[in-house]
Amino acid sequence: MSSTAAPADLRQIAERVAESARKYGANHARVRVERERYVYLVRSGGTLERIDESSSLKLTTHLFVDGRYSSHSTSDLRPVALEAFLSRGVTLTRTLGEDEARALPDARLYPGEQPLRLDQMDPELGALDTPRRLAMVEALEKGVPASSHTVNLVEASYFDVANEVALVNSNGFVGEERSSLVSASVDVTTQDAVGGRSRGYEGAQVTRLAALPPLAELANRALERSVRALGGKPIQTETLPMVVENRVASRLLGSLVSALSGQWLYRKQSFLEGKLGQRIGSDLLTLVDDPALAGALGTRRFDGEGIPTQRRLLFEAGMPRNYLLDVYSANKLKLEPTSGGTSNVTMPAGTGSLEQLMARAGRGILVDAFLGGNSNSVTGDFSFGISGLYFENGQVVKPVAEMNIAGNHLEFWKQLVEVGTDPFVYSSYRLPSLRFDAVQFSGL
Amino acid sequence: MSKLNRRDFLVGCARTSALALVPGFLASCAHSGVPLSPAGASPGELSAGGSPSNTYFARHFAIDESILQKVMARALGRGGDFCDLYFEHSLDNSIRIEEGVVNSAFSQVSLGVGIRVVQGSHFGYAFTEELTLESMLKAADTASAIAHGSPKSASTRIAIAQTANYYPIETLWDDVGIDQRIPWLNHAYARVSKADPRVIHTFAGLSDTSKRILIVTSDGRMVEDYQPMSMLYVNCVAEHNGRKERNGYAVGGRQGPEFFTTETLDRAADEAVRRTLLLFDAVSPPAGEYPLVMGAGPSGILLHEAIGHGIEADFNRKNISVFADKLGQSVADSQVTIVDSATHPNTRGAINVDDEGNPGRETILVEKGVMVSYLHDRISAAHYQVQPTGSGRRESFQHPPLPRMRNTYMLNGPHSPDEIIRSVKRGIYAEVFSNGQVKIGEGSFSFYVQSGALIEDGRITAPIKDVNIIGNGPEVLSRITMVGNDLKIDEGGWVCGKNGQGVPVSQGMPTTLVSAVTVGGTRG
């Protein structure tokens, strides 16, 4: 484990390395130094199964040398080692072909010196000792209530991570960020009379300890999920209404959002190429990237390249509004960079709870888990495995499993007919539950 | 950072060459005119005796027996059944070509040691990236927190174990500079770009890893290994009548630079183009239950998902796998024999030694339809009181080992591929896959067919693409009704993820018929 150092030290290292890279012949450099400390505990079968604790340090340098580019990472930050690391990196870069699109962000984008923002770092974590963490994971495990079903195993995990980053661009950007992540989760495996098993998961990831939901509540829901899925089977192949539970909605929307990515666009591999402002989905398809939500998992002031983050419309009333362009893809496409990724993807509040969405769907399938599947970024075709609950008149009839849904993103989102009021806050995709009118389910 | 004089620089260069802060393909200090043998073994060391000598970490990091003993004594300071130390020094490199120019390169150096203390089925784990005695003792102390007893001592004698060599290579990646690699990508790129006027974009990359590991256990075992890995992938986008399609192909394994001959480069390029262009004829795949013919080769993804994970002993020890009570029982037709092996030369799943220090070997999982073994790590082997199967693997020194697959495949059966296809009235032929997943308790699994074809009246007809296949592991195994005689091990690159850890694996399969499985198409 590395000795502890204040973030100021990371920044000093990054600044020195950026300067040194130029000394060795780089015209420009970006340097990222990141330190991560974590503690990870697992209890299973009534005892502590795993205790895992370490800290790691990583330095990544992006070198821009005479119109050429390469990137290198190391964990050896001894000054002598770093000098050699940079010298070789620069020499290597010179052997590559030129690519004028590789560049740092335009310095005009930088906001100037800003105070280190600390609200993404939980001060409580520093004072948290092992006995308290052990008590939490034990409470999590013991929170699973007695059940009339056979419980094969309860596994409870807890971890927290403290992360410090310094990012320096040699054309005038210096950024520092500190953040923490606290995670609690429970897996419960139950078994039915014929030996069928079901594993139910419930968990929460938050930036602050105090934001964790009651641990017994997580434990309770994990058991509930396990039991309700017991005996799930495919039903007949049919086109049906679909309700997607908030916590898994990112599986569908993530593959739509990734088609906004510049890396697919400049490679002519996005089905959203040329579609800005064109309607591809229903009025309810509005997605906003909000990087400033206090305490949210994806909150950040600058992106991985040092571009300040901004609130940005991704989709508005069914129309793609902005691409996700890092500096390279923006240069390739001769557009302005917007940031190559998202921070917190949000949807405006909708009109009902999960139960209300199911009631309005009448008969259909509630998808509470996806299994495998993929989406083709070039054509928009997708096919995903699902499991969940078959319902009639909004009431659960039986669990279903081992079925697929399929469609094409350019048509599928027209079926979005209702958005829930229940954003899932334990993810950087803070999506509500979604209701679709008619979806192709394949089963028997 | 102080300015170094020439002498300091050279010393630093020498030392960091050993510490491998160098992208492997940058011929290290040779660029500044100093002939320095690259970090680690020379090719001669590799070929002599079949495996590298057990001295890499001693020579380059001064990890000697007295240090090892001190660290293990600290790790067992609170008791425990045993402890192990996993030293790793890896260099990952990749270069990419796009729009005709090799325009980016990436490298990463990983160096560290992971320390594990095991008591029963419980363990403490910690790693450090600093190979100083002080840091290692601190990590050992952290890992020891799992145990609550009186100090235990490690074996006073550490014996160096020799290994087989399942990845013979002629040249180390460290010895091949980037200038020698760039022409390979240029060649593949040109071949794809010129193959057909419909090709509008090409993207290709070459990556390689030189990983050196040293495992030392408190019961006195010590073993080193050099694990090379390389992969060339070619990605192709084509446009025809306003419609775009993409596909690709990858070749590689635990291969040395000599693997990338003109013939190999051409084969990868041609296959990427062929796979892309045929998609223009693709029709919508059906939705519902159909017979499925798995083509020879990467179709082993079915075994990996339908039974492989379910047979990893940790899930069975905990009674959460659908296969937990099936040992000794019939799980498939007698045509079906499934093997997980570390010994196929130069495959991604080949390992001379697992990450707990046990020799790589072959494990029969299902023999003539009967499930005969789990895949074990040390903890589960002790639990079941069996020999370890050499399946304890980990992503890096930052992770503890788990029972994992290596190269999972099915042995040949009695049928010809033609006979199998002819037997299907209306079904699906699956050939190219992108990803798979399994739910261990339920046994539900799925894999994504990037491209394949319809089978109509016993003949392969129109191509299909982008369709997910889903089913239940034990159920689908029991529906394997015909096994072909054309076993092929996939040459592409697969990474298997478990508990947040990725490890390289490979898989194989003869042409095989599954009588019914759910196909996730759009035509209901």
Side-chain angles (χ1 to χ4, degrees):
Chain A
M1 277 169 283
S2 311
S3 55
T4 54
D9 294 336
L10 298 188
R11 173 181 170 163
Q12 280 167 14
I13 293 167
E15 284 177 326
R16 279 204 311 253
V17 170
E19 196 186 304
S20 220
R22 288 173 61 133
K23 191 180 71 188
Y24 283 108
N27 307 90
H28 277 294
R30 170 165 54 249
V31 180
R32 179 187 176 89
V33 189
E34 186 167 6
R35 186 201 313 282
E36 211 165 65
R37 296 191 196 92
Y38 73 87
V39 179
Y40 180 26
L41 304 172
V42 180
R43 281 184 68 91
S44 99
T47 55
L48 183 67
E49 176 184 283
R50 169 174 183 171
I51 179 162
D52 190 337
E53 177 178 355
S54 289
S55 141
S56 67
L57 192 60
K58 183 171 173 181
L59 180 143
T60 303
T61 174
H62 302 258
L63 302 171
F64 302 85
V65 187
D66 303 337
R68 297 165 169 88
Y69 165 83
S70 73
S71 154
H72 310 278
S73 296
T74 179
S75 60
D76 190 344
L77 271 62
R78 295 169 307 145
V80 168
L82 278 176
E83 294 286 336
F85 171 76
L86 290 170
S87 153
R88 286 173 193 139
V90 170
T91 309
L92 160 71
T93 313
R94 290 212 167 98
T95 65
L96 299 171
E98 280 185 60
D99 185 352
E100 59 183 19
R102 290 285 178 192
L104 290 175
D106 190 321
R108 284 174 307 178
L109 292 171
Y110 302 149
E113 187 78 16
Q114 287 185 318
L116 180 62
R117 212 176 100 175
L118 295 173
D119 59 356
Q120 289 296 105
M121 174 65 93
D122 187 353
E124 246 197 286
L125 274 190
L128 197 62
D129 56 11
T130 306
R132 267 190 67 198
R133 288 184 175 101
L134 287 169
M136 278 193 282
V137 70
E138 191 168 350
L140 208 49
E141 185 192 30
K142 299 205 163 132
V144 176
S147 170
S148 55
H149 291 82
T150 304
V151 175
N152 291 19
L153 190 72
V154 175
E155 294 164 289
S157 330
Y158 166 89
F159 68 82
D160 57 62
V161 184
N163 184 279
E164 304 157 30
V165 177
L167 184 71
V168 167
N169 285 342
S170 61
N171 66 343
F173 178 82
V174 179
E176 289 173 79
E177 215 137 36
R178 292 200 226 175
S179 61
S180 51
L181 177 69
V182 179
S183 166
S185 64
V186 191
D187 276 284
V188 177
T189 304
T190 54
Q191 186 168 337
D192 61 20
V194 292
R197 288 172 182 78
S198 163
R199 203 166 178 212
Y201 164 88
E202 189 74 34
Q205 299 203 335
V206 291
T207 57
R208 285 162 179 268
L209 207 51
L212 277 180
L215 300 176
E217 199 177 286
L218 292 175
N220 215 335
R221 282 208 300 266
L223 174 67
E224 242 174 66
R225 284 185 184 276
S226 176
V227 167
R228 79 180 193 189
L230 273 170
K233 284 188 171 51
I235 58 172
Q236 210 63 36
T237 299
E238 192 178 358
T239 301
L240 282 172
M242 170 171 78
V243 175
V244 177
E245 191 182 350
N246 59 4
R247 72 174 193 174
V248 298
S250 59
R251 184 77 179 110
L252 286 176
L253 271 163
S255 56
L256 178 66
V257 169
S258 91
L260 295 171
S261 166
Q263 61 150 337
W264 296 127
L265 289 159
Y266 86 78
R267 291 178 182 145
K268 302 170 185 168
Q269 300 193 13
S270 169
F271 61 86
L272 292 179
E273 186 184 338
K275 294 276 195 293
L276 285 190
Q278 290 185 27
R279 180 172 295 271
I280 63 138
S282 81
D283 282 349
L284 293 170
L285 180 63
T286 295
L287 287 180
V288 179
D289 186 32
D290 187 348
L293 276 177
L297 289 175
T299 297
R300 52 185 189 162
R301 287 180 305 155
F302 52 88
D303 72 3
E305 294 186 291
I307 300 176
T309 53
Q310 280 179 40
R311 190 171 193 277
R312 193 167 265 122
L313 263 175
L314 302 177
F315 287 85
E316 183 182 27
M319 291 175 280
R321 281 299 185 198
N322 278 291
Y323 290 134
L324 298 168
L325 306 176
D326 60 6
V327 172
Y328 184 72
S329 60
N331 287 345
K332 296 294 274 188
L333 295 162
K334 300 195 167 42
L335 296 168
E336 287 299 309
T338 57
S339 184
T342 57
S343 304
N344 297 298
V345 177
T346 63
M347 228 170 174
T351 46
S353 66
L354 181 65
E355 292 70 26
Q356 285 170 321
L357 264 54
M358 287 164 67
R360 282 171 207 147
R363 186 173 85 91
I365 290 176
L366 166 68
V367 172
D368 64 11
F370 286 95
L371 182 68
N374 211 329
S375 170
N376 182 326
S377 76
V378 183
T379 62
D381 292 320
F382 65 81
S383 178
F384 295 114
I386 62 106
S387 57
L389 302 169
Y390 171 73
F391 59 87
E392 289 175 358
N393 302 316
Q395 301 298 309
V396 174
V397 176
K398 60 179 172 184
V400 295
E402 294 153 19
M403 297 186 72
N404 285 302
I405 61 164
N408 183 290
H409 282 293
L410 294 171
E411 293 300 320
F412 176 75
W413 294 96
K414 292 171 184 159
Q415 299 292 323
L416 178 64
V417 289
E418 190 175 8
V419 166
T421 49
D422 55 349
F424 183 68
V425 298
Y426 304 133
S427 163
S428 62
Y429 267 70
R430 298 167 72 95
L431 301 172
S433 298
L434 306 173
R435 176 161 72 90
F436 297 84
D437 198 34
V439 175
Q440 176 68 59
F441 284 90
S442 55
L444 300 176
Chain B
M1 205 170 279
S2 59
K3 197 170 179 336
L4 295 164
N5 64 31
R6 182 73 185 158
R7 185 182 160 276
D8 285 346
F9 178 77
L10 293 179
V11 170
C13 201
R15 191 180 303 155
T16 49
S17 166
L19 292 172
L21 291 160
V22 196
F25 46 72
L26 175 62
S28 75
C29 292
H31 284 275
S32 41
V34 183
L36 231 181
S37 63
S42 72
E45 271 180 290
L46 265 185
S47 47
S51 71
S53 58
N54 279 294
T55 58
Y56 180 79
F57 286 86
R59 279 184 293 136
H60 295 283
F61 303 101
I63 301 298
D64 61 27
E65 196 164 327
S66 92
I67 287 176
L68 296 171
Q69 290 289 9
K70 281 177 192 152
V71 175
M72 288 195 288
R74 181 68 64 90
L76 295 174
R78 295 186 178 94
D81 298 339
F82 72 93
C83 72
D84 54 18
L85 317 180
Y86 177 89
F87 292 85
E88 176 190 348
H89 186 198
S90 291
L91 300 85
D92 297 308
N93 300 296
S94 66
I95 53 173
R96 281 198 231 156
I97 188 166
E98 216 167 350
E99 299 183 9
V101 182
V102 176
N103 61 3
S104 57
F106 305 88
S107 79
Q108 180 166 340
V109 175
S110 308
L111 173 65
V113 58
I115 300 175
R116 177 174 69 151
V117 176
V118 176
Q119 178 145 47
S121 59
H122 311 145
F123 65 91
Y125 198 80
F127 67 81
T128 173
E129 294 164 324
E130 293 171 13
L131 298 188
T132 59
L133 182 60
E134 186 196 351
S135 290
M136 289 191 277
L137 289 176
K138 202 172 156 198
D141 203 47
T142 304
S144 75
I146 197 76
H148 300 281
S150 42
K152 202 179 162 181
S153 42
S155 167
T156 50
R157 199 180 160 276
I158 298 177
I160 295 171
Q162 295 300 321
T163 67
N165 187 5
Y166 300 125
Y167 13 94
I169 62 174
E170 287 167 24
T171 308
L172 295 189
W173 282 101
D174 312 65
D175 295 345
V176 176
I178 186 172
D179 48 331
Q180 290 164 271
R181 303 178 194 194
I182 285 175
W184 305 344
L185 284 188
N186 284 335
H187 181 93
Y189 183 92
R191 185 140 176 129
V192 174
S193 302
K194 289 175 193 154
D196 191 285
R198 289 171 288 180
V199 172
I200 57 167
H201 192 90
T202 306
F203 177 73
L206 176 78
S207 60
D208 68 83
T209 300
S210 288
K211 180 172 182 171
R212 290 174 170 93
I213 59 171
L214 164 67
I215 301 147
V216 185
T217 68
S218 59
D219 37 17
R221 187 174 176 83
M222 172 162 163
V223 58
E224 266 194 17
D225 197 21
Y226 170 82
Q227 302 183 331
M229 188 66 81
S230 58
M231 182 161 69
L232 168 81
Y233 63 92
V234 182
N235 179 320
C236 170
V237 186
E239 187 169 13
H240 182 55
N241 292 336
R243 173 171 161 181
K244 279 182 198 155
E245 294 292 352
R246 173 187 61 199
N247 219 329
Y249 195 64
V251 292
R254 294 200 188 276
Q255 303 281 5
E258 64 279 355
F259 175 74
F260 295 94
T261 60
T262 304
E263 185 276 328
T264 304
L265 300 171
D266 287 352
R267 191 160 49 83
D270 294 353
E271 189 59 14
V273 173
R274 183 189 75 80
R275 289 178 171 203
T276 306
L277 295 181
L278 66 83
L279 297 181
F280 289 122
D281 300 320
V283 297
S284 302
E289 260 196 351
Y290 289 91
L292 172 71
V293 175
M294 302 294 287
S299 286
I301 192 168
L302 179 139
L303 307 176
H304 186 101
E305 305 298 354
I307 184 167
H309 279 296
I311 226 163
E312 289 165 346
D314 47 346
F315 297 130
N316 292 284
R317 173 168 65 77
K318 296 177 177 184
N319 194 18
I320 55 179
S321 167
V322 69
F323 288 98
D325 36 28
K326 296 207 162 39
L327 204 60
Q329 291 186 20
S330 169
V331 295
D333 186 85
S334 62
Q335 294 173 74
V336 176
T337 293
I338 302 169
V339 176
D340 185 86
S341 170
T343 65
H344 274 73
N346 301 103
T347 57
R348 281 175 66 82
I351 44 174
N352 294 333
V353 61
D354 77 356
D355 297 329
E356 300 183 300
N358 290 307
R361 66 182 67 163
E362 182 184 278
T363 311
I364 298 174
L365 304 177
V366 174
E367 191 166 21
K368 295 180 177 163
V370 177
M371 195 171 121
V372 292
S373 178
Y374 297 129
L375 291 171
H376 289 288
D377 62 0
R378 258 190 95 153
I379 289 176
S380 71
H383 172 90
Y384 285 101
Q385 298 181 313
V386 296
Q387 287 300 307
T389 56
S391 312
R393 302 184 66 192
R394 53 179 123 198
E395 179 177 305
S396 75
F397 68 91
Q398 300 194 3
H399 305 273
L402 295 167
R404 304 298 296 261
M405 283 172 268
R406 296 155 302 193
N407 178 16
T408 314
Y409 59 96
M410 188 187 284
L411 297 189
N412 274 329
H415 301 283
S416 76
D418 278 356
E419 191 187 345
I420 293 171
I421 291 162
R422 272 203 311 274
S423 76
V424 176
K425 172 89 181 136
R426 181 171 161 72
I428 300 293
Y429 179 78
E431 189 187 13
V432 182
F433 308 87
S434 69
N435 54 296
Q437 204 181 346
V438 60
K439 283 165 90 169
I440 215 72
E442 297 79 352
S444 303
F445 74 96
S446 86
F447 54 83
Y448 193 78
V449 178
Q450 212 166 311
S451 57
L454 292 178
I455 303 175
E456 295 169 292
D457 295 322
R459 288 178 45 243
I460 286 178
T461 57
I464 56 164
K465 64 189 184 72
D466 293 310
V467 60
N468 200 49
I469 303 289
I470 197 161
N472 184 275
E475 204 169 271
V476 166
L477 281 178
S478 73
R479 291 179 184 173
I480 292 176
T481 49
M482 293 175 89
V483 178
N485 55 13
D486 57 343
L487 169 64
K488 206 170 109 188
I489 303 293
D490 185 28
E491 63 177 350
W494 295 91
V495 175
C496 166
K498 176 178 175 181
N499 295 9
Q501 297 192 47
V503 298
V505 296
S506 38
Q507 59 212 23
M509 189 100 155
T511 301
T512 296
L513 174 65
V514 179
S515 61
V517 69
T518 297
V519 177
T522 48
R523 281 189 299 138

